Amino acid sequence: MEKDDFNKLLGEHIRDTRQKKGITQADLASAMGVNFQNISAIERGEVSPTVFWITNLCEGMEIEPETFFSEFYTKLKT
């Protein structure tokens, strides 16, 4: 899998998870202390987030990182 494809799939997973939790980009950004444009760029696959950033993202969405990564890994395998 190419890096761009990986980033796009990760961004889609972040967006899907956020939407399932009923959280807007603005609300998530506020909880994380970042600008909503950062969330948007990552969800579009334009930016590759660090593990530190994803951990903060999970905290902002109130989801355990292991759950987030497990669900993402499942998507990678399909």
Side-chain angles (χ1 to χ4, degrees), residues 32-43:
M32 293 176 65
V34 299
N35 190 306
F36 83 91
Q37 284 97 343
N38 296 99
I39 305 293
S40 179
I42 288 172
E43 288 185 359

Side-chain angles (χ1 to χ4, degrees), residues 3-13 15 42-46 72:
K3 181 180 178 182
D4 289 343
D5 295 332
F6 180 88
N7 287 342
K8 184 175 178 181
L9 188 61
L10 178 59
E12 290 171 359
H13 180 59
R15 183 195 65 232
I42 288 172
E43 288 185 359
R44 289 191 311 269
E46 296 174 357
F72 179 60

Side-chain angles (χ1 to χ4, degrees), residues 13-14 16-21 23 28 53-72:
H13 180 59
I14 291 169
D16 292 346
T17 303
R18 176 183 57 76
Q19 289 176 339
K20 284 179 188 173
K21 298 291 267 180
I23 301 169
L28 181 56
W53 196 92
I54 293 175
T55 301
N56 287 337
L57 176 102
C58 290
E59 187 174 300
M61 293 192 294
E62 298 181 353
I63 184 172
E64 292 296 322
E66 51 270 14
T67 300
F68 176 85
F69 284 112
S70 175
E71 291 172 355
F72 179 60

